[in-house]
């Protein structure tokens, strides 16, 4: 057991957890943040993607001890109140999701992708960058569209700020 | 159509919760006092269970109970059932062995459960399961069709000698051999349809709660058809009585068929929740999903086609072996028979067809319906056979198809199906145009000059959807009726709830169903809520599979709406002092035609509930329900064309273009329809290029994780170009045909036809991995 | 996952001391190999010693003709390092095709080398460039470091601190991805050293893990071009054969990837 202190979606939280606890289970089971999903046991599907200190990471492959002291953003922390993050809005507007199970991980990866690439995203790059996220429903067609759309919106939003 | 009515590309109502992480899937549910189940599973493909020692497990911290197959038998919990009776050629009923939820004596596939450990936490349950010692006596295994039907093969079930479940046939054998006798040309072919693992991204899960005082169970489960689950769990397994069991399927993360079936795990969770008198949660991990979710496909077939001198088809003969795995899953028996062989006529006028199907037990995971279920196998076989014929005859594959297309409807095929409508030339033309078929030879020549291998492949599919008339499926052996139900509840304030027996696990019913209602009443979709997935709310329903939600589920809603509207019109007419024939519904109002007299829906509804002033003898309230049983299957059809380039050095295939032209009848929301097609195509391409469940000879699943089972990723796929052509289905009120499976049915043959065209070698099996394609190139050289 | 104890030491010495106290403990860097195997209960270290935040183990340095990447530097940082891109761009490229973005955010070069997965990418670069693996005890030449599948010259408790790569005259890496895992079905790193030596290493191909490819080295030494490899024969003997590729196919890939690595 260790005492874990994190900043999750801007709020400080502390929790006691066995050392073998994975970050995803702390988020889901102890903090009730069930938007972060588990889709595999081999760290490949990306359904569990969150941001740790600003970078997209698979939370099923991080022990709580490793995350201790970090800033975590989950899908629940992306929107500002009722206003969707441009990536969330783009997924909705472009039908970038069906069952929704992969969606939180996709969106967290995609936000990180846009941050890293700025406006320089094209279809081929988006497809390569989605390597770590598996979707079984959409055939990725509309996910790619969503990410490209959001990249444009995020550029505009940044310019406006 | 209105901005939110039928035909509008409305964004989905359900998306806000999904994009913000507020979806509620089974594993997200937590209940007070919850325990966790972890199953002890067989590491052997075939073995006797000689003993189970639970003493060490019971000593582990946090272990609440260890339950075994023996106890489930002692408690008289029923065996798993197969709900579709098939009779062999000789008239005998199919031969099945028992499938207990946990094996008391014999295990027949790797991953079959023998015991379950209930623990205080997920990890503690697993710690306990690791400490259960099972004494197995290994038996020889038959891990493939070939091994199972070989002389002297290990026997799985004493009830099924030679491991044969049935030896079934359809069509006219004599007429077909006569056709071959007079044929000018014959084409023959052997092929495998590779076994797939459905891989919905949400693994299966269940939470069972038992209320001792009420003797009542609640089961949250990842199901495509919660009512069928309740029926089967109560009527056949005897875990709980139907009125004492509430089944809830909340947000479900994809199904593709795999969540139709009632599996051992949810049954054991229910039973165990009473045993330990605590809620029990089980969530599959991905490895368990690979080992226990029903797999799909897995056929080995021989096919031959007879043509006359003008390349008109005369006859088709098919012999298929279908792998059922170790047990007969819920609908497994119908998949390689009535969902497969009945579609072997494709889009073509084939005067005589004879198909034989032998269903075989093997020491592998049970096989059942997976997206398309039988129809992809039929389409793949036929479309590769025709492409092979075109190459053999050296004529254009599009022309050979066109020459044999069915052009007048209704059309009775020699294999049961009566196609109601279609225009196969229209979809082929649309696809050929979109891909610039005429320009292909020049593109191929140019690629060749650059040292590249380019190919084009066609596939013209037809499918039967809606999985329909209850009477018809009943006569073919189905154990259930295949209608759908709907209830319309208009609240006193005029908002509407639609209760449906269909279940959405990605299909967007909350939006499309609301569009249908909004369209009829001229109101906003935000005034309409769709309620589904809970047996306490919706009385009964058959669920979602076989692309049936539109054609059957929506039709039931339309029927219930018609009843509700008729009553509402009576009320409006009464208040407006008009004849009910003169009332029309527009923009949320009941209007007297030709006048400016109108009454808002909300006022009609309120009046129905206040009941102060209703027509004489009318009951208060505004709520109607309907059961809709269609008159026929529906027949979506289309043409898919794919252009690829193959890297001769590595055998890797790259898509240049992928075109799909479909006829789905009426589209309620084209955006959602396109999404369904995209996803289907991705699964079809997955089957063609990447996916394949592989067992070794001892029955170990070699591809039991994403490390070895290649899932399609974004960079494996192109963007797709979609076209729609339309002939309305005459069999249901809106003319809907269904769109959920088409992509998976039509695409794999197009891909393989394109690759074999590129490399100049027709001998290629799925998945066409770079390794296989490279070898095929070498074999040609 | 079995129970374990987590430690986060702040120095190499502290990490080594923790390791010396417990023979069943394991170092944890990015965790992107160790945690998946612990989750599947295929490994059960009594303790994990997180070296991922030890400042002395993170960073990239170039001095003269030597590029040094410290062991716990993540792939992400390697791939984006101006020093790496300038001195040995082939390493930046290799890193950019390794795993996926989330894996690259966590995985480390030290973890990859210590693990020596037969299909991992970095061992090919280390062996082809004749790098030196530095540990808290000694320096080990690449030729002596890789000892077959998942086996290295590291002793129990020995900690890799950095890998030093001589800057070559030319180098390149080409990888055919495994269709499922996305590791290397076969990957080939080619290097022409400043003294004219040519070294070529293939990963994902051999049953014994990363290996040199002498046939290709000889041909490229004579003529650094793709056409020079046209007639080179690679024997399938000893190569991996599985559902994703036969030994013959992998033998072919060694040649084709080597040709493409030349750029
Ligand atoms: C989805 C996925 C895809 C991947 N794809 C690829 C790929 O394409 N190519 C590829 O090469 N790899 C791939 N990997 C593996 C990845 O590169 C791992 O990160 C790497 O193999 C291990 O590095 P790590 O820092 O995560 O090590 P850890 O998992 O932390 O440790 C691995 C082993 O090395 C030991 N160790 C770690 N650091 C040291 C050290 N400094 N000194 C001594 N011992 C140490 C640990 O004790 C442990 O035994 C993939 C992994 C995943 C999850
Ligand atoms: S759950 Fe984390 S990658 Fe699949
Ligand atoms: S939307 Fe269902 S898995 Fe992606």
């Amino acid at each position: 057991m260790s005492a874990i202190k994190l900043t999750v979606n801007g709020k400080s939280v502390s929790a006691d957890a066995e050392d073998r606890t994975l970050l995803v289970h702390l988020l889901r089971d102890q903090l009730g943040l069930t938007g972060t999903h588990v889709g595999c046991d081999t760290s490949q599907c990306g359904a569990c993607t969150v941001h740790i200190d600003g970078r997209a990471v698979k939370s099923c492959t991080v022990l709580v001890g490793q995350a201790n002291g970090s800033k975590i953003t989950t899908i629940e922390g992306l929107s500002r109140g009722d206003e969707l993050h441009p990536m969330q809005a783009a997924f909705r507007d472009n039908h970038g999701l069906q069952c929704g199970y992969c969606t939180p991980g996709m969106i967290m990866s995609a936000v990180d992708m846009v941050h890293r690439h700025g406006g320089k995203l094209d279809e081929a790059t988006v497809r390569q960058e989605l390597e770590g996220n598996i979707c079984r429903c959409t055939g990725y067609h509309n996910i790619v569209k969503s990410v490209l759309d959001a990249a444009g919106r995020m550029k505009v939003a940044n310019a406006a700020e | 159509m209105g901005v939110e009515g039928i035909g509008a590309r409305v964004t989905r109502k359900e998306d806000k919760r999904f994009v913000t992480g507020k979806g509620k899937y089974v594993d997200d549910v937590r209940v007070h006092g919850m325990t966790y189940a972890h199953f002890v599973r067989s590491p052997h493909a075939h073995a006797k269970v000689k003993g189970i020692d639970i003493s060490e497990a019971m000593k582990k911290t946090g272990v609440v109970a260890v339950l075994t197959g023996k106890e489930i038998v002692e408690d008289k919990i029923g065996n798993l059932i197969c709900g579709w009776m098939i009779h062999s050629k000789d008239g005998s009923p199919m031969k099945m062995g028992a499938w207990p939820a946990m094996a008391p004596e014999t295990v027949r596939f790797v991953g079959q459960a023998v015991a379950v450990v209930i623990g205080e936490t997920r990890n503690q349950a697993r710690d306990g399961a690791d400490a259960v010692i099972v004494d197995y006596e290994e038996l020889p295994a038959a891990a493939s069709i070939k091994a199972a039907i070989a002389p002297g093969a290990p026997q799985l079930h004493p009830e099924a000698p030679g491991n044969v479940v049935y030896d079934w046939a359809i069509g006219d054998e004599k007429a077909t051999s006569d056709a071959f006798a007079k044929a000018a040309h014959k084409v023959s072919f052997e092929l495998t349809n590779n076994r797939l693992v459905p891989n919905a991204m949400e693994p299966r899960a269940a939470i069972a709660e038992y209320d001792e005082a009420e003797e009542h169970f609640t089961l949250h489960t990842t199901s495509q058809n919660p009512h069928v689950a309740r029926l089967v769990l109560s009527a056949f397994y005897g875990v709980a009585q139907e009125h004492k069991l509430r089944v809830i399927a909340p947000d479900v993360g994809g199904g593709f068929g795999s969540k139709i079936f009632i599996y051992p795990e949810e049954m054991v969770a229910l039973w165990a929740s009473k045993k330990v008198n605590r809620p029990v949660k089980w969530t599959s991990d991905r490895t368990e999903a690979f080992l226990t979710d029903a797999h799909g496909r897995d056929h080995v077939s021989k096919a031959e086609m007879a043509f006359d001198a003008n390349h008109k088809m005369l006859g088709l003969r098919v012999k298929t072996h279908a792998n059922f795995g170790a047990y007969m899953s819920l609908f497994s028996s119908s998949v390689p028979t009535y969902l497969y062989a009945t579609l072997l006529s494709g889009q073509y006028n084939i005067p005589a067809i004879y198909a034989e199907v032998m269903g075989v037990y093997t020491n592998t995971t049970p096989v059942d319906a997976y997206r398309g279920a039988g129809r992809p196998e039929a389409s793949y076989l036929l479309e590769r056979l025709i492409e092979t014929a075109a190459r053999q005859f050296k004529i254009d594959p599009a022309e050979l198809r066109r020459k044999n297309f069915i052009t007048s409807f209704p059309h009775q095929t020699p294999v049961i199906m009566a196609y109601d409508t279609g225009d196969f030339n229209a979809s082929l033309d649309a696809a050929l145009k979109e891909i610039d078929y005429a320009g292909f030879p020049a593109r191929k020549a140019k690629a060749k000059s650059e040292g590249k291998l380019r190919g084009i492949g066609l596939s013209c599919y037809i499918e039967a959807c809606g999985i329909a008339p209850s009477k018809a499926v009943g006569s073919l052996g189905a154990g259930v009726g295949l209608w759908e139900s709907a209830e319309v509840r208009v609240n006193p304030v005029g908002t509407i709830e639609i209760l449906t027996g269909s279940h959405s696990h990605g299909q967007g019913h909350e939006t499309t169903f609301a569009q249908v209602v909004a369209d009829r009443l001229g109101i906003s979709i935000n005034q309409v809520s769709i309620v589904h997935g809970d047996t306490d709310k919706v009385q009964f329903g058959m669920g979602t599979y076989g692309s049936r939600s539109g054609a059957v589920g929506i039709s039931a809603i339309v029927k219930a709406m018609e009843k509700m509207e008729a009553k509402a019109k009576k009320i409006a007419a009464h208040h407006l002092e008009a004849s009910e024939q003169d009332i029309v519904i527009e923009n949320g109002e009941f209007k007297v035609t030709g006048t400016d007299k109108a009454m808002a829906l909300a006022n009609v509804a309120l009046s129905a509930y206040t009941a102060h002033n209703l027509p004489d003898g009318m009951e208060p309230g505004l709520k109607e329900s309907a059961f809709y049983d269609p008159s026929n299957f529906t027949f979506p059809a289309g043409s898919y064309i794919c252009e690829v380039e193959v890297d001769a050095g590595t055998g890797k295939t790259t898509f240049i273009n992928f075109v799909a032209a479909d006829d789905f009848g009426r589209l309620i929301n084209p955006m959602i329809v396109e999404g369904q097609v995209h996803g289907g195509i991705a699964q079809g391409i997955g089957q063609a290029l990447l996916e394949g469940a592989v067992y070794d000879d001892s029955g170990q699943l070699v591809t039991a994780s994403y490390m070895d089972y290649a899932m399609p990723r974004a960079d494996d796929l192109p963007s797709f170009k979609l076209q729609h052509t339309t002939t309305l289905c005459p069999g249901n009120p809106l003319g809907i045909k269904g769109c959920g499976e088409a992509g998976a049915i039509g695409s794999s043959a197009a891909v393989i036809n394109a690759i074999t065209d590129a490399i100049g070698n027709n001998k290629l099996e799925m998945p066409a991995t770079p390794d296989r394609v490279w070898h095929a190139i070498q074999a040609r050289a | 996952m079995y129970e374990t104890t987590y430690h986060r030491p702040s120095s190499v010495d502290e990490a080594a001391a923790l390791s010396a106290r417990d023979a069943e403990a394991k170092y944890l860097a990015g965790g992107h190999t160790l945690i998946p195997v612990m989750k599947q209960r295929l490994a059960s270290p009594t303790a994990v010693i997180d070296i991922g935040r030890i400042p002395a183990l993170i960073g990239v340095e170039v001095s003269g003709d030597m590029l040094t990447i410290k062991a716990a530097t993540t792939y992400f940082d390697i791939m984006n390092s101006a020093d790496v891109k300038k001195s040995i761009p082939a390493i930046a490229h290799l890193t950019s095709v390794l795993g996926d973005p989330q894996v690259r955010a966590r995985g480390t070069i030290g973890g990859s080398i210590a693990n020596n997965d037969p299909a991992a990418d970095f061992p090919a670069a280390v062996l082809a460039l004749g790098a030196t693996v530095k540990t808290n005890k000694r320096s080990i030449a690449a030729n002596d470091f890789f000892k077959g599948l998942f086996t290295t010259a590291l002793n129990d408790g020995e900690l890799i601190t950095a890998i030093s790569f001589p800057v070559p005259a030319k180098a390149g890496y080409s990888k055919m991805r495994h269709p499922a895992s996305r590791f290397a079905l076969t990957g080939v790193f080619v290097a022409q050293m400043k003294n004219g030596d040519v070294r070529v290493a293939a990963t994902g191909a051999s049953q014994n893990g990363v290996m040199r490819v002498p046939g290709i080295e000889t041909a490229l030494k004579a003529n650094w071009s793709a056409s020079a490899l046209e007639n080179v024969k690679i024997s399938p003997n000893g190569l991996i054969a599985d559902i994703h590729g036969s030994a013959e196919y992998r033998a072919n890939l060694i040649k084709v990837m080597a040709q493409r690595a030349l750029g």
Side-chain angles (χ1 to χ4, degrees), chain B residues 399-434:
Chain B
E399 278 322 301
L400 181 63
R401 286 176 168 90
R402 226 188 261 289
K403 192 174 245 182
N404 288 285
F405 274 163
I406 295 161
T407 50
S408 78
F409 298 90
H411 174 90
Q412 176 64 54
T413 73
V415 280
I416 297 183
M417 292 300 174
Y419 300 164
D420 50 8
T421 184
D423 185 346
F424 306 145
N425 276 306
S427 45
L428 179 58
D429 287 341
L432 292 173
K433 182 155 177 267
E434 176 70 51

Side-chain angles (χ1 to χ4, degrees), chain A residues 42-44 58 61 66, chain B residues 707, chain C residues 26-36 51 57 71-72 75 97-100 103 106-115 117 119-123 154 158-161 175 177 181-184:
Chain A
T42 46
S43 309
Q44 283 165 301
K58 292 172 176 171
T61 313
Q66 289 174 288
Chain B
M707 293 298 281
Chain C
K26 267 190 174 296
Y27 294 122
L28 176 70
H32 272 52
T33 291
L34 186 56
I35 294 174
I51 58 165
L57 293 179
Y75 301 132
V97 295
L98 187 166
D100 57 51
V103 170
R106 300 290 299 182
T108 70
I109 184 171
S112 175
I113 302 299
N115 191 49
D117 187 304
D121 296 291
F122 255 112
L154 292 175
E158 191 170 1
L159 180 71
I160 300 174
T161 52
K175 168 187 188 179
R177 280 192 164 146
S181 76
R182 305 297 172 115
F183 279 67

